[in-house]
Amino acid sequence: MDATIIDGKAFAATVRAKVAEHVTALKSAHGITPGLAVVLVGEDPASQVYVRSKGKMTVEVGMNSIEHKLDVDTSEADLLALIADLNADPSIHGILVQLPLPKHLNEDLVINSIDPAKDVDGFHISNVGLLGTGQKSMVPCTPLGCLMMLRDHHGSLSGLNAVVVGRSNIVGKPMAQLLLGDSCTVTIAHSRTKDIQEVTRGADIVVAAVGRPEMVTGEWIKPGATVIDVGINRIDAPEKGEGKTRLVGDSHFESCSAVAGAITPVPGGVGPMTIACLLANTVTACCRANGLPEPEGLTA
Ligand code: NDP
């Protein structure tokens, strides 16, 4: 069987186009431009790339992008003071603090100092609690992107068996909550799970979020199941030449796509959806802040 490739790049472009439409409407009908503030502490090269690309796409959909680049040795007090200013600024609707933070800064404290209504990453403890109790929240971007792709592919997810491999706070746990919210029967597998392949082989949907290159192989997958690969791993690619690398997911694409009914590729699957959902969350936050109806199809 040749799996359908779920094209995250194309889907992300449609999400961004919807966001752009809403931004245009907000500007023309209400004179409001959504604003996203991104705070980067230090000079981690990967974080710099992410922040640049977030800023570029924010501007492309017509929103205001505000970047705060702070020295690596910025004190916790200074960072908290900046976040307090952004919380109080009515022109800022979304605040994202790029993680990881330098070791001397307490990540939980910093994230929980963001106004939950502006917490477009959905990591604030209030948003975690709201999501867990099925209430309106800001939803973490990566699992939201996975959910959108699954809804688009399957229509209703009700009654499907879903296995999420990985239990991190930013991907695995919120992904499981979202699938439960859509009435899947959800299992979370992790490094201590026994007979993990038996568990995944019972699933209609497997979400791989383990951070282990190509760990999930075709043998783990029930024929016809959907595989959502969250992983981003850079591995050596001697076949491309000396010192060359390539990106792979947490699933082994060739063997999984021979068995699965549908699969997201890496790159070009979940990755592009993450930034698109950040923009979606920002426009949602802006509508909520102004008491306006939320855009349809851009939230959980
Ligand atoms: P974490 O390292 O925080 O969590 C990994 C999870 O996988 C843990 O719960 C761990 O279990 C589990 N795990 C590790 N090894 C095994 C194993 N051998 N068998 C079963 N479970 C295992 O990773 P993240 O959730 O942050 O990220 C997961 C992947 O997604 C990474 O590849 C990351 O790069 C990628 N990612 C991609 C994003 C995107 O935009 N596409 C965004 C965020 C992440 P335990 O808890 O027991 O240790």
Side-chain angles (χ1 to χ4, degrees):
M1 185 189 302
D2 269 336
T4 301
I5 308 296
I6 299 177
D7 185 344
K9 201 171 163 194
F11 195 26
T14 67
V15 172
R16 290 198 306 274
K18 262 193 216 168
V19 170
E21 235 174 72
H22 283 285
V23 171
T24 305
L26 278 168
K27 284 181 187 172
S28 59
H30 305 282
I32 300 167
T33 304
L36 173 64
V38 177
V39 179
L40 173 64
V41 186
E43 286 171 5
D44 176 63
S47 294
Q48 282 178 329
V49 172
Y50 289 138
V51 167
R52 239 195 327 272
S53 129
K54 284 168 187 170
K56 182 169 164 273
M57 292 202 182
T58 304
V59 171
E60 275 173 14
V61 295
M63 303 200 289
N64 288 331
S65 165
I66 301 93
E67 284 178 23
H68 290 272
K69 294 186 175 159
L70 308 181
D71 285 346
V72 68
D73 53 5
T74 297
S75 72
E76 202 161 84
D78 284 349
L79 178 56
L80 293 176
L82 170 62
I83 293 172
D85 285 347
L86 296 172
N87 284 342
D89 183 341
S91 71
I92 301 292
H93 306 94
I95 302 170
L96 180 149
V97 176
Q98 184 66 43
L99 300 178
L101 288 171
K103 293 273 178 287
H104 68 283
L105 299 170
N106 178 337
E107 259 178 31
D108 287 341
L109 182 75
V110 169
I111 296 304
N112 289 326
S113 73
I114 298 172
D115 177 349
K118 297 188 179 187
D119 167 39
V120 281
D121 252 344
F123 296 159
H124 190 289
I125 192 70
S126 297
N127 283 315
V128 175
L130 290 167
L131 177 63
T133 49
Q135 299 179 69
K136 192 187 274 188
S137 64
M138 295 306 306
V139 177
C141 304
T142 300
L144 178 59
C146 297
L147 182 75
M148 284 183 184
M149 289 193 285
L150 282 167
R151 282 179 177 168
D152 184 66
H153 182 72
H154 284 273
S156 169
L157 303 180
S158 180
L160 297 181
N161 284 327
V163 175
V164 179
V165 191
R167 57 173 164 179
S168 73
N169 289 336
I170 62 166
V171 187
K173 285 180 198 160
M175 185 74 250
Q177 297 283 7
L178 288 171
L179 291 167
L180 196 57
D182 271 30
S183 298
C184 289
T185 303
V186 182
T187 304
I188 305 179
H190 46 78
S191 66
R192 309 293 170 88
T193 300
K194 294 199 173 94
D195 298 328
I196 196 163
Q197 301 186 23
E198 278 305 306
V199 176
T200 55
R201 268 199 292 265
D204 304 304
I205 294 168
V206 175
V207 180
V210 280
R212 308 248 176 238
E214 302 180 318
M215 187 182 86
V216 176
T217 63
E219 291 176 351
W220 296 41
I221 303 301
K222 178 168 89 172
T226 300
V227 178
I228 302 290
D229 190 342
V230 180
I232 304 177
N233 309 284
R234 190 163 281 287
I235 61 166
D236 291 338
E239 72 281 4
K240 288 168 74 180
E242 204 186 310
K244 297 284 182 195
T245 59
R246 66 188 173 100
L247 283 184
V248 296
D250 289 345
S251 72
H252 185 266
F253 186 79
E254 284 74 25
S255 62
C256 286
S257 58
V259 184
I263 188 166
T264 59
V266 177
V270 174
M273 286 298 288
T274 297
I275 296 188
C277 287
L278 172 69
L279 305 175
N281 277 349
T282 306
V283 85
T284 298
C286 178
C287 291
R288 288 181 186 169
N290 289 284
L292 297 168
E294 289 175 25
E296 269 175 43
L298 295 182
T299 48

